[in-house]
Amino acid sequence: MTINTLPVLRVKPREERRARGGHPWVYSNEIALDADAKAIAPGSLVRLDDAQGALLGIGTFNPHSLIAARLLSHEAATIDASFLSRRLQAALRLRERCFTLPYYRLVHAEADGLPGVVIDRYGDVLCIQCNTAGAERLLPDLLAALEQVLKPRAVVLRNDSPVRALEGLQPEIRLAAGSLDDGPAVVEEGGVRIALDLLEGQKTGWYFDLAGARALIAAQAKGEEMLDLYCNSGAFALTAAKAGAKSVRGIDRSELAIAQAVQGAKDNDLNRIAKFEKAEAFPALEQLQGDKAARFGIVVTDPPNFVKSRKDLGPGAKAYRKLAKLAAPLVKPGGLWFVACCAHLLPGELFAKETAIGISQAGRSGRVLYSGGAGPDHPVHPHLPESAYLKWQILQLD
């Protein structure tokens, strides 16, 4: 579909400044939504003009979403497999510049010019999330573009993100292209090689966003005893064990994640060092308080999102304080505590404040050695600073 055949939407007078300035979103209250606009099928490509008829861009449109239009281009363009291929090639060049191995987030939505699209790469296997109606409508062309650029062995769709419901989309997990008959997806990091079940595991398989933090912990792990809470499939635990940790104890509530971590330890001959158990994190922390021998040179806490909506902000912030209060006593004097927060609604300053209060309430003091966010495979669109969801700290405790 060419630009001349696309439905045309008009932005209201004086509402075009953000889009003209490069912002990729246009909200529903900024668009003149007449009966014809409301009848456009969710996810359709549209031409967006200002009130005078000048082009603002080409994007996808969902009349039922607060973020009504998501711009793919601020210039005239035909959105097809060739267009998507050029975007994928640009994303690939960036990752190849930053990484030596083909294991990373290949596409991070708006920051890579593909709103609503997330793609993780595991060598010759790709895992996609289409989180908007527009991304869903573009999927056939996206699969064709991926075949052209990377020729993957298999492409898995993990369309189970809760944000899809906001776009009127149903959850879906399936093999979209290729085959996994020759073996599962595999990730390599920190000297370990882990087989992943992308169809049954969590999210898109591996938390690439914390790879840099895991490398920092692994560099400090030699000879240390380590506790890894919310260990998921064992990324922190196994890379630390490979780097020379004396022992690692991983805890997670997911039976599937624990099974994958145990298998990863066996596959990498680390099962004598890394042990995993199924348990809830907070009760496990409380139980460990009474065991005076349970003190560790490194404690890792990478919890799930405690602030999923604005109404969760108060109690969610206090949950990080509680986590700090329970985790800090388990760190040996001079040891390290890692804590992460993936809640984009929780400001970094509040996250740091609550963890600091929790440390003090535990009767400990310390200092921040490192702080950061996601790696370069999770770039941030300059007009969407709120999409920089991840923050973490590594502290040394006295």
Side-chain angles (χ1 to χ4, degrees), residues 350-397:
L350 183 55
F351 164 64
K353 176 183 176 181
E354 292 296 336
T355 55
I357 292 172
I359 291 171
S360 296
Q361 289 180 344
R364 302 294 295 272
S365 61
R367 58 207 52 83
V368 176
L369 301 184
Y370 303 96
S371 60
D377 55 343
H378 290 64
V380 176
H381 192 289
H383 288 283
L384 295 172
E386 65 270 27
S387 64
Y389 62 96
L390 182 67
K391 42 263 182 192
W392 52 262
Q393 294 183 335
I394 299 175
L395 302 98
Q396 184 193 44
L397 301 186

Side-chain angles (χ1 to χ4, degrees), residues 126-266:
L126 303 175
C127 189
I128 301 178
Q129 280 187 337
C130 294
N131 291 324
T132 65
E136 185 103 329
R137 290 283 289 263
L138 290 173
L139 182 59
D141 280 340
L142 181 61
L143 291 172
L146 286 168
E147 176 62 26
Q148 179 182 345
V149 174
L150 285 173
K151 293 181 170 52
R153 171 168 63 93
V155 179
V156 173
L157 278 186
R158 280 301 303 242
N159 285 340
D160 56 346
S161 170
V163 300
R164 283 173 58 87
L166 301 176
E167 291 278 314
L169 301 172
Q170 296 297 314
E172 178 188 34
I173 301 174
R174 65 180 174 89
L175 185 65
S179 170
L180 293 170
D181 291 344
D182 291 338
V186 172
V187 63
E188 294 183 27
E189 183 182 311
V192 300
R193 183 178 172 88
I194 309 294
L196 302 172
D197 187 342
L198 297 182
L199 291 169
E200 297 293 338
Q202 296 188 34
K203 295 191 177 180
T204 54
W206 191 255
Y207 294 103
F208 285 120
D209 51 3
L210 281 171
R214 288 193 290 268
L216 289 172
I217 290 294
Q220 300 291 329
K222 187 173 183 178
E224 298 287 358
E225 295 174 315
M226 175 170 148
L227 175 65
D228 184 5
L229 283 152
Y230 307 99
C231 69
N232 194 18
S233 52
F236 274 99
L238 295 177
T239 51
K242 183 68 175 180
K246 181 180 178 181
S247 67
V248 181
R249 181 178 178 180
I251 296 174
D252 198 278
R253 66 184 298 182
S254 167
E255 189 170 342
L256 181 62
I258 290 297
Q260 186 168 287
V262 169
Q263 187 61 50
K266 290 179 181 177

Side-chain angles (χ1 to χ4, degrees), residues 4 33 46 90 106 110 134 143 198 201 213 274 289 319 325 366 375:
N4 294 325
L33 290 177
V46 297
L106 174 64
E110 279 82 354
L143 291 172
L198 297 182
Q289 304 296 314
K325 185 177 179 180

Side-chain angles (χ1 to χ4, degrees), residues 18 29 35 44 51 100 107 118-119 126 134 164 184 187 211 213 227 266 282 306 325 357-358:
R18 287 191 315 108
N29 63 351
S44 296
T100 57
V107 170
V118 170
I119 306 176
L126 303 175
R164 283 173 58 87
V187 63
L227 175 65
K266 290 179 181 177
F282 279 110
F306 290 149
K325 185 177 179 180
I357 292 172

Side-chain angles (χ1 to χ4, degrees), residues 49 58 62 66 91 193 205 209:
D49 288 354
I58 308 297
N62 187 344
L66 175 63
R193 183 178 172 88
D209 51 3

